[in-house]
Amino acid sequence: MPEPISPQEARIITDPAEAPFEVVLTVSQPADVGALYRRLSTIPDASVTRRRTGPDEGELGVVEVLQLLVPSAAVLTVAIRTLPAFIKSRRSSVTVTLTRGERSATVTVDNSNDPQAVLEIASHLLSDD
């Protein structure tokens, strides 16, 4: 059963320089969104909010995603490094997709054991090419 969305402390970022990196995380198992939210909420200097988005074209329903705001590439890398442990802790197979602007990367059980893969994902999301 999906976990209810709990009230969150609103943190309004008034200075765009304070959180220059916004990443949207989508979890393949909707029931795992709450667990990932709690895990990412423990990262210092990271702001995580849960939000609902409309379905993609040809799909039904609402998708719950996490919006991660971080002040630096270092904090984003820390957040990405938490994903392998999160994926391994789940009972069923889970895939987490991170999207920043037009770029996206996916973390799965297949690539979660490789520390280099995590750095490549962070580099892909942060590059300006």
Side-chain angles (χ1 to χ4, degrees):
M1 169 181 258
E3 195 172 282
I5 298 176
S6 61
Q8 303 170 17
E9 290 182 28
R11 180 172 180 252
I12 299 171
I13 296 176
T14 55
D15 180 6
E18 186 180 339
F21 301 111
E22 174 187 2
V23 177
V24 176
L25 293 94
T26 308
V27 182
S28 63
Q29 300 296 323
D32 290 329
V33 173
L36 182 55
Y37 168 80
R38 286 188 301 278
R39 183 176 294 260
L40 293 173
S41 295
T42 64
I43 298 172
D45 298 325
S47 173
V48 185
T49 55
R50 292 170 78 164
R51 62 185 174 100
R52 292 187 172 106
T53 63
D56 289 334
E57 189 174 322
E59 294 181 359
L60 298 174
V62 175
V63 177
E64 188 174 10
V65 298
L66 299 176
Q67 178 185 33
L68 176 66
L69 299 173
V70 294
S72 68
V75 177
L76 179 58
T77 302
V78 168
I80 293 170
R81 285 185 175 177
T82 67
L83 296 177
F86 168 76
I87 291 169
K88 287 179 186 177
S89 72
R90 309 319 314 157
R91 291 184 181 154
S92 60
S93 177
V94 175
T95 299
V96 178
T97 302
L98 300 96
T99 305
R100 180 172 178 251
E102 296 296 317
R103 292 182 171 79
S104 66
T106 301
V107 180
T108 63
V109 174
D110 296 338
N111 65 7
S112 66
N113 292 327
D114 183 6
Q116 185 60 34
V118 170
L119 296 177
E120 289 173 8
I121 289 168
S123 176
H124 174 71
L125 290 174
L126 295 169
S127 68
D128 289 330
D129 298 339

